[in-house]
Amino acid sequence: MSRPSKISPLLSERLGLPRTDKERWRLNTDTVGRLQWIYLRDKETAERRPQSTHEKYLLGLETGLPELPAAETASDAALNGLRFFKELQLDEGFWACRYGGPMFLLVGIVAVHYFTKTPFPEEWRIEVVRYLTNTAHPVDGGWGLHSEDKSTAFGTSCNYVVLRLLGMEPDHPVAALARRTLHKMGGAIGAPQWGKSWLSLLNLYEYEGINPIPPDVWALPDWLPIHPSKWWIHCRQVYLPMGYMYSEQLKAPLDPLLESIRAEIYTQPYESIDFSKHRNTVSPIDVYYPHTTILNIMNSVIVLAQNYLRPNWLKRKAREVVVNLIRKENKDSNYLSVGPVSFVMNALVMYVEDGPDSESWKRHLDRMGDFMVISDDGMLMTGTNGVQVWDTSFTLQTMCMIGAAEMPEFHETVKKGLSFLENSQFTENCTPGSYRDPRLGCWPFSTKDQGYTVSDCTSEAMKTVLMVQKLPYIDVVIPDEKINPAVDVLLSLQNRGAFSPGSFASYEKIRGPPILELINPAEVFGNIMVEYPYVECSDSVVIGLSYFRDHSTYRHAEVVKAIEDAVNFIKSAQDDNGGWYGSWGICYTYAGMFAIEALSYQGEVFENSESIRKGCYFLAKRQEEDGGWGESYRSCETVTYVSHAQTQVVNTAWACLALMMGDFPEVDVITRGIKFIMNRQKANGEWLQEGIEGVFNRSCMIEYPNYKFYFPIKALGMYAKKYGNPKLL
Ligand code: LAN
């Protein structure tokens, strides 16, 4: 069951909660995509630097962008959309957004500030309190794993603690309601392992009540199939510092505030709880991936072993190995780490290891703001340090595909975007011994500084660069010699042998056996232990390599073979009913679009391809009465198509794109979808935010606010090109 939508006016306003002055926020950026919101306390400084259109838009302020001539055709609507979206581009060429959704991140950054006695900036404090107030469940006042989730013990315990640490009194109506809901779920004792770890750091839980996170596994020989270097990158980068916290039993000193929180979040007195009996206590509402018997047995054995058999030298050795790897991760990611959870944990480890005056801790501190974004409902912590390269790639591709890139009014947008992609290409490999693959010549999802390439991000960015550089007014800034290394990496990332041959995973090749999932200890996430074959990643790589195949003869035979093998994988991943399950977007509409696009690049269309026929019918059957599509995030959890209560512009754009790329003969179905998109467009060319668009690990949703721009624009523009741009409205 999803939550009712937000009530207006915002709860924080109805309750009269303090807020900062929206007109004082500015977004600091640099040429490699850094995003940092700063608050100008001084009025005069604020006046000297007027807010830009994108800043106003992101803050939910009036942008003053004009009404555009009413669209009659799909092409008018596409161009109107682009005219609006172009105004949101930053000078450095990329687009910003609020990359929110996950509701378990703030606890990390607040806990690390509290532990290290680092003052939490006042404007952040005010706005985080507003955000949590505004995102609390409208009925029960709790929080879930993500912003559209039902309330869970994880979300509610962690965010309750955040509010209390940030100064909300326990009898404040927001805190009181959340606490009541938490108690109904059995209290904070039912938080999953990650929640228990943060609570333990804050001295609000006891380490003996957490299932073991032995850092010692890092000291095992790395050829072993279970060695963490074989795990999915996010899993290994989170469990690395979490293992350190666990092994060193890091704990904030008890103080009166913590003591009173201890008394608030449980259903019995803190001292009366035997924490060692609660390693496996997780609120049933929270559980997505229950423990397996193997995991439970393993945990019990490790608990005994670490209490009685773990020699001190092993503990020391493990600590040394872990800290060294964290230092490498910091260097290779410019202190950002792969994601927000490992980022704050690594910061904590550096504080403990190197001290409050150390360079390493200060570098982390300087990065904290890269994850904090201000929006109309408050301030949140983002899922990565942005979506810069991903959004820029799709926007530029869209402009090329629909012919807008050739129009003089968009030349600057394209040039700036290309220059950002140029600045974002990796120019160095990672530190040896960090278990990282080559990345030279590749692109990231967010920024070059973050340092991680993803198969599909490289492929989509590469395709974009190739497309843009074919435009007559563009100088080639990334010549073939600089594209070829990206192709080398893409080819090296294709899975071979036992693990879904032909497919592509996300950051790396599949390194470890999927059976490792049996020891997934996180309770709330699925598919985290190793890399998996992802249909969308495989699609994007096929699309990029196909484009490259027609552009260059470099490693031609291998490129052709890689495409062929990946296409076979894509076909084998299609369900009997014609759908493809999407792992990173919601869900079947998302993956359907990518898969059909990939196949269409091989000359497959409805007429000649069974796979495309099935894929098209799968989508066409799910069109709603009003001509739109609406897919619920529940599709991701249940692995079967679930309709959303409301039709959605983004799902509709994906479905229409799929049907057009597959050359679906019932054009009327597509036309109704296109009209639906046009009807939802505002007079200034924009579309408003609807349901959440993305997902990870099957259970956690994440926002992609710019999807509502470039995918509808692409669908409209493609429709106009393909069907002669008839008058529709
Ligand atoms: C992302 C965001 C982008 C996404 C795509 C490129 C869209 C995808 O095709 C491949 C996987 C990738 C890169 C991806 C992986 C997991 C991420 C990084 C995220 C969904 C954004 C946030 C998420 C990360 C794991 C969140 C932090 C939470 C933990 C459980 C560590």
Side-chain angles (χ1 to χ4, degrees), residues 349-365:
V349 173
M350 289 299 104
Y351 176 91
V352 174
E353 284 287 313
D354 298 350
D357 296 322
S358 62
E359 175 69 10
S360 56
W361 163 245
K362 286 189 188 147
R363 295 284 305 268
H364 277 300
L365 210 50

Side-chain angles (χ1 to χ4, degrees), residues 105-163:
L105 302 177
L106 281 166
V107 65
I109 198 160
V110 172
V112 169
H113 276 79
Y114 199 82
F115 181 93
T116 58
K117 299 198 165 51
T118 307
F120 200 69
E122 180 59 9
E123 292 82 15
W124 292 14
R125 190 189 70 75
I126 293 173
E127 291 296 337
V128 167
V129 170
R130 273 187 74 229
Y131 177 73
L132 289 179
T133 301
N134 290 327
T135 49
H137 192 286
V139 177
D140 66 27
W143 297 269
L145 185 67
H146 58 87
S147 54
E148 295 200 7
D149 196 13
K150 77 267 166 210
S151 301
T152 63
F154 188 16
T156 309
S157 57
C158 289
N159 290 316
Y160 178 86
V161 168
V162 169
L163 283 177

Side-chain angles (χ1 to χ4, degrees), residues 99 104-105 194 232 234 238 340-341 383-384 390 445 454 456-457 506-507 525 537 584 590 695-697 702 704 707:
Y99 194 36
F104 57 92
L105 302 177
W194 290 26
W232 186 44
H234 282 282
V238 167
V341 178
T384 58
W390 188 246
F445 171 71
V454 191
D456 53 0
C457 300
S506 58
Y507 297 78
F525 303 117
C537 296
W584 307 109
Y590 179 75
V695 59
F696 57 92
N697 304 142
I702 185 155
Y704 286 83
Y707 280 3

Side-chain angles (χ1 to χ4, degrees), residues 318-336:
R319 175 173 172 158
E320 190 189 308
V321 174
V322 163
V323 171
N324 273 335
L325 283 167
I326 292 177
R327 291 194 195 286
K328 287 182 181 163
E329 162 76 341
N330 285 341
K331 178 162 177 276
D332 293 332
S333 68
N334 295 288
Y335 291 82
L336 284 163

Side-chain angles (χ1 to χ4, degrees), residues 315-544:
K315 190 176 167 192
R316 273 199 307 275
K317 170 88 189 150
R319 175 173 172 158
E320 190 189 308
V321 174
V322 163
V323 171
N324 273 335
L325 283 167
I326 292 177
R327 291 194 195 286
K328 287 182 181 163
E329 162 76 341
N330 285 341
K331 178 162 177 276
D332 293 332
S333 68
N334 295 288
Y335 291 82
L336 284 163
S337 186
V338 65
V341 178
S342 45
F343 162 71
V344 281
M345 288 184 179
N346 288 349
L348 174 75
V349 173
M350 289 299 104
Y351 176 91
V352 174
E353 284 287 313
D354 298 350
D357 296 322
S358 62
E359 175 69 10
S360 56
W361 163 245
K362 286 189 188 147
R363 295 284 305 268
H364 277 300
L365 210 50
D366 174 55
R367 285 294 190 183
M368 297 278 177
D370 291 36
F371 291 92
M372 297 300 285
V373 38
I374 178 85
S375 190
D376 57 341
D377 54 354
M379 188 168 226
L380 54 110
M381 189 173 189
T382 54
T384 58
N385 62 327
V387 189
Q388 296 86 327
V389 168
W390 188 246
D391 280 343
T392 306
S393 298
F394 282 111
T395 307
L396 262 53
Q397 280 181 30
T398 297
M399 294 174 73
C400 292
M401 286 172 90
I402 71 171
E406 272 133 45
M407 299 167 65
E409 62 174 307
F410 298 117
H411 284 189
E412 263 316 290
T413 316
V414 175
K415 281 188 196 158
K416 285 198 288 186
L418 176 63
S419 131
F420 175 65
L421 291 181
E422 185 195 355
N423 295 338
S424 301
Q425 196 182 16
F426 293 123
T427 43
E428 267 169 27
N429 276 325
C430 296
T431 318
S434 55
Y435 300 114
R436 297 277 304 277
D437 287 335
R439 66 177 178 193
L440 193 82
C442 292
W443 280 271
F445 171 71
S446 59
T447 64
K448 183 181 181 186
D449 276 354
Q450 184 258 9
Y452 277 85
T453 181
V454 191
S455 62
D456 53 0
C457 300
T458 289
S459 191
E460 296 288 355
M462 174 183 85
K463 177 187 162 198
T464 309
V465 168
L466 294 177
M467 279 180 131
V468 168
Q469 292 191 152
K470 289 201 168 42
L471 291 166
Y473 61 94
I474 292 286
D475 296 328
V476 172
V477 289
I478 309 186
D480 282 0
E481 312 83 85
K482 285 194 180 166
I483 294 282
N484 295 347
V487 173
D488 293 338
V489 172
L490 286 176
L491 291 176
S492 77
L493 284 177
Q494 189 163 37
N495 293 310
R496 299 269 172 217
F499 305 132
S500 307
S503 67
F504 287 83
S506 58
Y507 297 78
E508 293 162 343
K509 246 174 140 137
I510 303 174
R511 295 180 177 181
I515 197 174
L516 267 179
E517 208 60 47
L518 293 177
I519 57 164
N520 168 358
E523 291 130 358
V524 292
F525 303 117
N527 285 15
I528 60 163
M529 290 303 295
V530 286
E531 278 279 11
Y532 286 91
Y534 290 114
V535 73
E536 308 99 294
C537 296
S538 308
D539 298 330
S540 280
V541 177
V542 165
I543 294 165

